[in-house]
Amino acid sequence: MSRLPRTYDPPVKLTPKQANIYCWGFQPEARFRDAVCGRRFGKTFLGKAEMRRAARLAAEWGVSVEDEIWYGAPTFKQAKRVFWRRLKQAIPEAWRAARPNETECSITLKSGHIMRVVGLDNYDNLRGSGLFFVLVDEWADCPWAAWEEVLRPMLSTCQYTIPQTGESRKGGHALRIGTPKGFNHCYDTYRDGQPGGEPDHKSWQYTSLQGGNVPADELDAARRKMDPRTFRQEYEAGFENYAGVVYYTFDRAECRTSERIKPGEAIHIGMDFNVMKMAAVVYVVRDGLPLALDEFHSVRDTPEMIEKIKVRFSGHSVSVYPDASGQNTSSKNASESDLSLLKKAGFTVVVDSQNPGVKDRINAVNAMFLNTYGERRMKVNIDQCPQLTQCLERQTYTDKGEPDKDPKKGHDHMNDAAGYFIAKRFPIKTQSAGTRRIGGLA
């Protein structure tokens, strides 16, 4: 495989922060890089430099021509609009084997390698080749499944040798870059690259000002016209609960507690029934206010849930506040059979004849996290309740204005479980439905 010819095209100029991200590229300890950046940081200029280098290294390191080089964005239309013209600018004509393919948005290099601009919305159509390098733009807006099911496996088969040292390496490289959007997968992969995270990940968080492309007076003008939360997210690259989040009053810093359940303390469990996906949030009440201090998630069925509760909370009195919908015999809904099993286990079961309204339950939970007086009356041990924390931060409303219950995301079960207890014990308005209290422990 021949090297690409030497070119005298001027290199892409990078600011110091862009260069810091760039210089860690293709290092074993930074195989997966995540750059969380404010708007106008200069991601596109960095992307041009990254793609140009990947093309050169693929030829120099003897990477198979089956392992391609990609730029990916949330949609193909967006990818083409943002980067196709810039990719053609970044790759010298002397490196190209033929004219760029304007239909597929691809460039074939003289080394035989192919560079593409792709959209990640229809990610199933991308399977087939391997990958040496992928640059994922607007990472927070891309589907996680595109990475987990397609891109990550495609990076696994790449093999090459560093000619200067003779070192053989396996696995392609990735740079995921973008502005945050709440606490979604962008936050997770950023955390993987921080100290104490994954050994082959590295991440950065830079504001728009640090990018060196937006003057301070322009940022001041934006600050005057934007609400604080949006400004922090868009220009300061802050992880915020963004507009559209169902439980928008939850803040992991403000609502956090380190309290733990004490021996023999009475516990209250909100429970949601779903086959293979049962969820429960464990509360205690102190000084008249709730603390969410433990959780169960992805439990098979009611008998398994009962066994887990008994093992973990032996010696505690247990009150369960379950989903009341339906009279189905499966664990999908709180059938009489499920309630009877909880009763026979010795639990006190507190359930109305019907569930509270969805909006009433959501409003009750939001009000406990933050009311109009600025009081945060409910706290969560986020270390003991990582699933609840994640679901509170990530469940959003659909286009129809309803809480998203997409089974692929699975953010609803834990939130529903948390809400049944709160809506019963701390309702915003008085419930008129009759309450059934099924005997057990007092």
Side-chain angles (χ1 to χ4, degrees):
M1 184 181 299
S2 62
R3 293 190 178 189
L4 296 174
R6 182 181 297 275
T7 175
Y8 295 96
D9 290 12
V12 179
K13 293 183 178 180
L14 300 177
T15 66
K17 299 302 183 186
Q18 294 167 355
N20 189 37
I21 299 169
Y22 179 87
C23 72
W24 279 94
F26 298 92
Q27 303 297 323
E29 61 271 30
R31 183 180 165 203
F32 303 103
R33 289 173 291 155
D34 286 271
V36 180
C37 308
R39 295 294 177 193
R40 313 308 300 172
F41 172 81
K43 302 186 298 294
T44 304
F45 288 98
L46 173 60
K48 289 172 64 175
E50 292 279 356
M51 296 291 282
R52 178 175 172 134
R53 173 173 61 179
R56 176 174 54 81
L57 292 181
E60 292 180 2
W61 291 355
V63 174
S64 168
V65 293
E66 297 298 321
D67 295 316
E68 300 184 353
I69 301 166
W70 287 5
Y71 167 92
T75 68
F76 179 70
K77 182 178 180 181
Q78 181 179 357
K80 182 176 182 179
R81 175 178 57 83
V82 172
F83 203 72
W84 176 232
R85 176 174 57 86
R86 293 177 171 89
L87 178 61
K88 290 183 288 185
Q89 292 172 347
I91 304 304
E93 289 189 15
W95 290 9
R96 305 175 192 170
R99 294 176 62 85
N101 186 317
E102 296 292 340
T103 302
E104 295 184 358
C105 291
S106 65
I107 297 174
T108 300
L109 304 176
K110 289 182 177 178
S111 61
H113 296 98
I114 297 175
M115 308 183 76
R116 297 186 191 275
V117 167
V118 302
L120 299 180
D121 46 346
N122 296 317
Y123 53 87
D124 280 330
N125 297 331
L126 301 177
R127 304 174 191 270
S129 68
L131 279 177
F132 171 56
F133 176 71
V134 59
L135 169 61
V136 182
D137 200 359
E138 298 300 347
W139 169 227
D141 293 308
C142 295
W144 167 251
W147 171 261
E148 186 176 44
E149 298 177 17
V150 179
L151 299 180
R152 181 62 182 86
M154 291 173 70
L155 291 164
S156 299
T157 57
C158 183
Q159 300 183 46
Y160 51 91
T161 301
I162 309 299
Q164 293 85 348
T165 63
E167 176 190 359
S168 295
R169 293 184 185 176
K170 294 183 178 180
H173 295 253
L175 170 60
R176 297 169 293 213
I177 193 166
T179 302
K181 189 175 183 181
F183 290 86
N184 66 0
H185 54 266
C186 177
Y187 176 75
D188 293 337
T189 55
Y190 167 77
R191 288 281 300 273
D192 287 341
Q194 291 297 289
E198 297 295 327
D200 53 357
H201 289 57
K202 191 169 181 62
S203 62
W204 301 264
Q205 187 175 26
Y206 291 134
T207 66
S208 298
L209 184 62
Q210 289 174 314
N213 296 306
V214 182
D217 56 351
E218 174 61 22
L219 291 175
D220 289 338
R223 193 190 302 271
R224 287 193 299 270
K225 294 184 178 181
M226 300 174 70
D227 66 89
R229 184 173 65 178
T230 302
F231 182 84
R232 289 194 300 267
Q233 175 176 280
E234 299 299 320
Y235 286 97
E236 296 181 345
F239 292 100
E240 303 283 335
N241 281 337
Y242 66 97
V245 171
V246 175
Y247 298 95
Y248 66 95
T249 59
F250 176 75
D251 181 290
R252 67 165 54 208
E254 297 294 332
C255 298
R256 182 173 188 162
T257 180
S258 59
E259 290 293 317
R260 302 289 292 272
I261 297 173
K262 300 176 181 178
E265 189 171 20
I267 62 174
H268 305 267
I269 302 178
M271 189 177 296
D272 187 47
F273 295 96
N274 290 277
V275 176
M276 303 300 294
K277 295 181 180 180
M278 284 191 66
V281 177
V282 184
Y283 295 90
V284 300
V285 178
R286 295 179 189 165
D287 298 324
L289 296 176
L291 299 173
L293 302 183
D294 211 334
E295 67 181 15
F296 297 93
H297 68 94
S298 300
V299 178
R300 177 184 298 273
D301 53 23
T302 303
E304 182 175 313
M305 178 69 80
I306 290 172
E307 181 63 25
K308 288 180 176 291
I309 293 173
K310 284 188 171 183
V311 170
R312 191 178 302 181
F313 296 111
S314 175
H316 296 260
S317 66
V318 179
S319 297
V320 180
Y321 301 72
D323 176 0
S325 63
Q327 295 300 313
N328 199 308
T329 57
S330 74
S331 290
K332 184 177 180 181
N333 295 307
S335 68
E336 193 66 40
S337 175
D338 287 317
L339 301 182
S340 296
L341 288 172
L342 293 171
K343 173 192 172 182
K344 291 175 182 178
F347 303 154
T348 296
V349 180
V350 184
V351 58
D352 287 342
S353 58
Q354 63 185 36
N355 282 328
V358 174
K359 289 184 179 180
D360 292 337
R361 172 166 51 82
I362 292 172
N363 289 340
V365 174
N366 274 325
M368 291 304 294
F369 281 132
L370 180 66
N371 62 18
T372 56
Y373 293 102
E375 299 168 334
R376 295 189 180 274
R377 298 175 293 161
M378 175 177 163
K379 296 297 179 74
V380 177
N381 186 320
I382 66 174
D383 297 317
Q384 294 297 114
C385 303
Q387 291 296 317
L388 173 61
T389 301
Q390 182 182 92
C391 292
L392 288 169
E393 291 174 335
R394 299 188 182 183
Q395 188 180 20
T396 59
Y397 286 106
T398 66
D399 294 339
K400 296 181 179 179
E402 301 171 349
D404 188 359
K405 291 183 174 291
D406 185 343
K408 292 185 178 180
K409 299 176 182 176
H411 296 150
D412 55 317
H413 304 312
M414 193 65 72
N415 290 340
D416 291 350
Y420 292 134
F421 169 70
I422 296 299
K424 180 60 185 173
R425 288 291 300 267
F426 305 92
I428 289 181
K429 62 183 181 180
T430 304
Q431 297 177 352
S432 58
T435 298
R436 288 181 289 165
R437 192 176 185 87
I438 303 176
L441 294 177

